[in-house]
Amino acid sequence: MDNNVVGLLKGVELFSELNEEQLAMLANLVVVQDFNRDETVVLEGDDSMQALYLIASGSVQVYMTGVDGRETILSFLERGDFFGEMSLIDGEPRSASVRTVTDAQMMIIHRESFLQLIRQTPEIAMALLSEMSKRLRKANKQIGSLSTMSVSGRVAGTLLNLMEERGVRIHTDNGKMVVVIHNRPTQQQLADMSGTTRETVSRICSMLVKANAIAMTGKDIVIFDENVLQEKASKG
Ligand code: CMP
């Protein structure tokens, strides 16, 4: 069992600096738990259980719920990513909710164990800070685009972000290069990432399809012409 957990821990970027012995010690502190798709793992405002979650398999979405019940997606996280560190560090209630997008397996570390690990291993603190800086940069970009961009600019910006984060470049038979975003978000999720409604996303995506900039299949988004998206995103 521990060997298995050590294997899973090796897939977590945060622990890439740990040696075998440290990983084995950490494995003893970890509880592995399975979650079904669409299960809430962490609830915004909750202060009852303070633990860090490492994603061993599957993916989750981090989101906030507005007073009108509308959700804003802050991020998608997947295998090797972590969440729940903010409450662990500042002792405040959960800053956002986290829900599984697929069936998922998590490794859970309780607050005291994790804080002790950070104190003993500065490399982990550095890796944590580095990831938190990355998330803050992305959040800043999101705030900037929400307050200054038009809705079509925001949807284009969301597609460009997805492309950067998880797009796969592929050469087509006729020598062109396209970018494929596999397991694409639903139109509702794209709306929740862009601060708009599903209907508006549907209208803007149809426009982008007509302009031959993108194609949407059941599972993927294919980007044929990223310049069209860049142009929309830069115009605001
Ligand atoms: P915590 O506040 O403990 O619980 C919710 C978690 O969501 C939070 O820790 C972070 O791990 C994660 N989270 C919050 N805001 C963001 C964001 N903007 N991007 C990515 N993850 C986030």
Side-chain angles (χ1 to χ4, degrees), residues 73-90:
I73 296 179
L74 303 175
S75 191
F76 286 99
L77 302 173
E78 50 194 31
R79 180 192 158 90
D81 290 330
F82 63 85
F83 58 90
E85 78 293 349
M86 290 171 64
S87 301
L88 235 82
I89 291 167
D90 66 10

Side-chain angles (χ1 to χ4, degrees), residues 42 51 62 74-75 77 82-88 92-98 135-136 138-139 142:
V42 160
V62 181
L74 303 175
S75 191
L77 302 173
F82 63 85
F83 58 90
E85 78 293 349
M86 290 171 64
S87 301
L88 235 82
E92 293 288 320
R94 296 296 190 187
S95 62
S97 300
V98 182
R135 291 181 186 178
L136 186 56
K138 191 176 156 204
Q142 245 172 337

